[in-house]
Amino acid sequence: MISNTLNNFRFNFKSVLYFEICYRLLVAFIFIPLNYFIINKFMKSEGIYTLTNKDFIKFGLTPIGIACMGVLLIIAFCVIFIEVSVLMYISYKSHKKEKVTLIEAIFNSFAILPRAIGRGMIPLFLITAVIGPLIGIGLCSSLIKELTIPPFITIELYKTSLGKLMYLLFFIVLIILFFRWVLAIPEIIVEKKTGIQCIKDSKELYKNNRIKLFLYLTVWLVLSLTSIIFTTSIFSTIEIFLSDTFGEESIIFLILGGLFLLIFYICYIVISLITMPIFISFLLEIYYKLRKYNVEERDFSTNEDYEKNRIYRLFKSWSKIYLNGSLCIFIIFTGVRGFNVVFNRVIQKDVQVTAHRGSSLKAPENSISSIRFAIEEKADFAEIDVQTTKDNVVVLFHDTNLKRIAKNNNAIKDLTYEEVSKIDNGSYFNSEFEGEKIPTLESVLKESKGKIKLNIELKPMKENDPLADEVVKLIEKYKMQSEVVITSLDYNSLQVVKREDPTIKVGYIIVAAIGNVSELNVDFISAESSLVKSKLIYAMHSLGKEVHCWTVNSEEEAQRMLSLGVDNIITDDVPLIEEVKDTAEWEEIGYLGFYIESILNIAKYAKI
């Protein structure tokens, strides 16, 4: 099957390559900007210029928001379906050993599209736009190249056994759904059926061929994952060999090393372009292998059939100019992107480091002990979460209830401070901390004054919660305005702080955003690390504002944040971030280090 797949892929290789190049340019320069244009138009019709956090839900529940989502989903489905169907059509013709032109494939795919729209479009869309990118099997459209669960969600899930189990079950469900629905993709192209009929047939094929389907797709996954790893390893080895042969600081190595770096980038681009088309071809082979019944295959139109079509003739007359122009633009586009990945790095050597909920790897989070360990680790800040008790005492606590800490569903807001002070806040972490209490903010301010700065996250849990006012009073009482910053997911709470004491810096925590967040009335943005892009950094820095990122616990993500130039990294592992900071500047590591690092960065960040 692998041999057939590769032979079929080569049969119409030129058409596939041209299509992927042209389509990725269309997505980058037309479809993605079009989506943002539509969102902004719908937002402005409601008088909204920035959507963040909970505002997404509020907007999404309005008639305008529902209409916006409907339009975006239809456009996304059409964009993704056309790409998949064109590739599947070319694979189908290659399987039949028939040459195909790109324009023929596109027109036939548009002819199939109306039959795909309906209930069947939901599973088809989920396969290509959500499940495929999430499980990393290679079915990733140009519109959605990759999809990951935000780190802040996985970090929280991994803190409990139940969370880990839920995470595992989630992916098991995704994989099962993928196996049940995936054969609908070749069937809707090959057979004259609607999307929902193809989904039903795919389920039947899955039921009768579970083991075979699992083995086929597992082999594919292993091969696709090892392709980039193998290529990266080969070129890294070549760079080391050249360095040993000619000397790391020699001009010959500088030239040859740069040449092989360029060759690696070209190989990487080609692999990126052909991964999905090869998977589509492989999927068609699986479909034919498992299909045990005779079907009425589609009678596709040919170039001759379309000759009477005025639009077809117009496209055909301009096709060569368009293809050649697209090739030139693609070369420039990928060249600029590669240059930015390799050279456009803003190493922020003096970036500050914040211990997330104190040193939460060494002690119970949001405890006096975690603050003390954060001081020992020489963190610049300790991030803490604060809530008010029933009698409005400000205490350190993150969750909405005590289930994770004390195995009960009581909420801090429903307990008096006297009741809260009796809760064991340490045993859940380690018996060594048995008897550790939930501290008040006042006790933490006393403990940290002059030793470590605090990032105080406001978590208002009650209606008309006085949390912001009470926190400001405590900060002013201990004259720590210059030793704290205040953050929150609740924008209104931050505005209360700004009114009460403008000298205290406030930061808005963002888990999702659309629009111009730089116009928000805050001193800095605290963004989930996957949201941090160079555009956000430049916009905030141009206004003299900072960007903090959370929660960064891996060397790879720390390197990315440093290269973007963030101002503060929030982490559970302060020593790791400090170690990455010490080795962040590539100018200090010579030509070999630069070339090896460039190869790794291209493989990680140069999404084509």
Side-chain angles (χ1 to χ4, degrees):
M1 283 183 64
I2 292 173
S3 176
N4 289 341
T5 298
L6 294 176
N7 287 333
N8 292 340
F9 173 72
R10 286 197 296 266
F11 194 79
N12 279 301
F13 174 74
K14 189 176 178 181
S15 295
V16 169
L17 196 61
Y18 267 125
F19 174 73
E20 279 294 281
I21 289 172
C22 295
Y23 209 72
R24 294 192 186 208
L25 289 177
L26 284 173
V27 168
F29 294 109
I30 295 180
F31 294 134
I32 291 177
L34 177 63
N35 283 341
Y36 282 110
F37 175 79
I38 291 170
I39 292 170
N40 285 325
K41 279 294 182 183
F42 276 101
M43 285 167 54
K44 287 177 181 178
S45 69
E46 289 283 283
I48 299 170
Y49 294 90
T50 304
L51 278 180
T52 56
N53 304 339
K54 294 180 181 178
D55 295 337
F56 274 94
I57 299 174
K58 291 179 183 177
F59 177 70
L61 294 176
T62 64
I64 291 293
I66 293 169
C68 179
M69 287 300 297
V71 171
L72 291 175
L73 285 174
I74 290 171
I75 291 174
F77 175 78
C78 293
V79 170
I80 292 171
F81 182 82
I82 291 299
E83 180 177 15
V84 173
S85 61
V86 167
L87 293 175
M88 187 60 75
Y89 176 82
I90 295 173
S91 297
Y92 169 75
K93 287 293 186 179
S94 298
H95 180 84
K96 300 287 186 181
K97 293 297 181 282
E98 298 175 11
K99 284 291 182 180
V100 61
T101 63
L102 184 52
I103 192 168
E104 173 196 333
I106 293 170
F107 270 72
N108 274 304
S109 295
F110 272 100
I112 296 168
L113 180 59
R115 294 186 67 84
I117 294 176
R119 284 184 301 152
M121 70 181 283
I122 297 173
L124 289 171
F125 181 77
L126 288 175
I127 293 170
T128 51
V130 180
I131 300 175
L134 265 180
I135 64 178
I137 202 163
L139 189 61
C140 302
S141 71
S142 299
L143 189 64
I144 304 172
K145 296 185 181 71
E146 60 177 6
L147 192 65
T148 57
I149 298 175
F152 74 94
I153 294 177
T154 57
I155 288 169
E156 291 303 314
L157 288 174
Y158 268 76
K159 287 184 176 179
T160 63
S161 298
L162 178 61
K164 292 175 183 177
L165 180 61
M166 289 173 60
Y167 187 75
L168 178 62
L169 289 175
F170 173 72
F171 271 95
I172 290 174
V173 170
L174 286 186
I175 292 168
I176 291 173
L177 289 176
F178 185 82
F179 284 173
R180 284 168 63 88
W181 295 340
V182 72
L183 292 179
I185 295 175
E187 183 171 335
I188 199 170
I189 306 302
V190 174
E191 301 184 28
K192 200 171 184 179
K193 293 181 179 178
T194 62
I196 196 66
Q197 289 173 321
C198 294
I199 291 293
K200 290 178 181 178
D201 290 344
S202 180
K203 290 178 184 177
E204 287 300 314
L205 284 174
Y206 164 74
K207 287 178 183 177
N208 298 327
N209 301 278
R210 286 186 178 91
I211 296 176
K212 286 183 179 179
L213 190 58
F214 176 78
L215 289 174
Y216 292 150
L217 292 177
T218 299
V219 169
W220 163 261
L221 185 60
V222 171
L223 291 174
S224 62
L225 288 176
T226 54
S227 62
I228 283 292
I229 296 173
F230 177 76
T231 307
T232 302
S233 300
I234 288 293
F235 277 88
S236 296
T237 302
I238 290 172
E239 295 288 3
I240 293 170
F241 172 76
L242 292 173
S243 173
D244 291 341
T245 304
F246 299 105
E248 185 176 346
E249 300 300 324
S250 68
I251 297 297
I252 295 177
F253 174 60
L254 175 64
I255 296 171
L256 290 178
L259 177 62
F260 275 96
L261 177 62
L262 176 62
I263 295 171
F264 168 78
Y265 186 49
I266 293 170
C267 291
Y268 174 81
I269 293 170
V270 172
I271 291 172
S272 299
L273 288 173
I274 67 175
T275 297
M276 183 170 165
I278 292 179
F279 178 75
I280 293 291
S281 183
F282 186 59
L283 198 58
L284 184 75
E285 291 303 313
I286 294 175
Y287 163 76
Y288 275 115
K289 182 81 172 178
L290 300 183
R291 196 187 74 181
K292 303 297 183 183
Y293 52 89
N294 293 321
V295 298
E296 180 187 355
E297 296 190 353
R298 288 185 186 275
D299 185 18
F300 290 104
S301 300
T302 63
N303 287 313
E304 290 74 19
D305 297 324
Y306 284 119
E307 282 296 342
K308 296 178 182 179
N309 188 306
R310 186 180 300 175
I311 298 174
Y312 175 86
R313 292 201 306 270
L314 179 65
F315 270 83
K316 188 176 181 180
S317 64
W318 286 89
S319 61
K320 286 188 178 179
I321 296 173
Y322 176 72
L323 290 174
N324 291 331
S326 296
L327 186 59
C328 293
I329 294 170
F330 185 76
I331 291 170
I332 296 169
F333 174 67
T334 53
V336 170
R337 179 157 291 185
F339 182 87
N340 286 336
V341 169
V342 173
F343 293 103
N344 193 15
R345 304 181 61 210
V346 186
I347 301 299
Q348 180 67 287
K349 292 289 281 186
D350 57 350
V351 63
Q352 294 187 307
V353 182
T354 297
H356 184 229
R357 302 179 196 172
S359 184
S360 54
L361 295 181
K362 292 185 177 179
E365 63 184 48
N366 284 312
S367 66
I368 292 290
S369 296
S370 70
I371 301 296
R372 288 170 180 164
F373 276 113
I375 293 169
E376 284 184 19
E377 292 175 340
K378 297 182 180 179
D380 299 290
F381 282 82
E383 186 267 349
I384 55 176
D385 306 283
V386 296
Q387 305 179 26
T388 51
T389 61
K390 188 176 182 180
D391 48 352
N392 293 328
V393 177
V394 183
V395 297
L396 273 63
F397 199 72
H398 176 270
D399 298 356
T400 55
N401 59 49
L402 293 158
K403 190 170 184 179
R404 182 164 62 94
I405 304 299
K407 308 302 181 188
N408 70 64
N409 289 319
N410 290 328
I412 294 292
K413 66 178 181 177
D414 298 324
L415 302 173
T416 65
Y417 173 65
E418 184 178 355
E419 292 171 316
V420 170
S421 66
K422 295 175 183 177
I423 296 169
D424 183 349
N425 186 37
S427 296
Y428 83 94
F429 183 82
N430 192 301
S431 58
E432 177 187 344
F433 295 95
E434 183 178 353
E436 181 98 28
K437 302 302 180 185
I438 295 174
T440 63
L441 175 60
E442 185 166 15
S443 65
V444 171
L445 289 171
K446 291 178 184 178
E447 180 70 33
S448 62
K449 187 173 175 64
K451 302 173 188 174
I452 192 171
K453 293 181 179 180
L454 296 176
N455 177 335
I456 304 170
E457 180 181 341
L458 306 181
K459 300 181 80 68
M461 297 291 182
K462 300 182 287 190
E463 192 174 345
N464 300 318
D465 199 325
L467 177 61
D469 291 302
E470 294 298 323
V471 169
V472 171
K473 288 176 185 176
L474 287 169
I475 292 169
E476 291 177 337
K477 177 181 177 180
Y478 290 94
K479 296 180 173 56
M480 293 181 66
Q481 289 93 329
S482 63
E483 296 182 59
V484 302
V485 296
I486 292 182
T487 57
S488 184
L489 284 160
D490 184 57
Y491 185 71
N492 293 330
S493 293
L494 297 176
Q495 299 314 298
V496 171
V497 175
K498 292 289 264 185
R499 287 196 304 269
E500 294 292 325
D501 192 335
T503 65
I504 300 174
K505 288 186 175 183
V506 300
Y508 190 33
I509 300 173
I510 292 177
V511 295
I514 291 178
N516 191 1
V517 296
S518 61
E519 293 183 358
L520 295 168
N521 183 32
V522 292
D523 299 296
F524 64 94
I525 292 295
S526 183
E528 199 277 319
S529 63
S530 64
L531 296 177
V532 179
K533 312 293 181 186
S534 57
K535 185 177 179 181
L536 174 65
I537 302 285
Y538 297 148
M540 295 299 291
H541 284 182
S542 68
L543 296 172
K545 297 181 179 182
E546 295 182 350
V547 176
H548 298 198
C549 61
W550 52 274
T551 303
V552 180
N553 288 334
S554 72
E555 182 178 343
E556 178 183 332
E557 191 67 356
Q559 288 172 343
R560 190 172 78 86
M561 293 298 102
L562 287 169
S563 69
L564 286 171
V566 298
D567 303 282
N568 193 306
I569 294 177
I570 301 170
T571 179
D572 293 320
D573 195 341
V574 173
L576 171 69
I577 305 302
E578 292 293 351
E579 183 180 340
V580 174
K581 281 173 61 179
D582 290 340
T583 57
E585 207 160 7
W586 59 259
E587 290 89 347
E588 300 174 358
I589 56 179
Y591 296 149
L592 177 61
F594 169 65
Y595 288 140
I596 296 294
E597 187 181 74
S598 296
I599 288 172
L600 296 176
N601 285 339
I602 286 169
K604 292 174 189 174
Y605 308 128
K607 304 303 177 186
I608 305 301

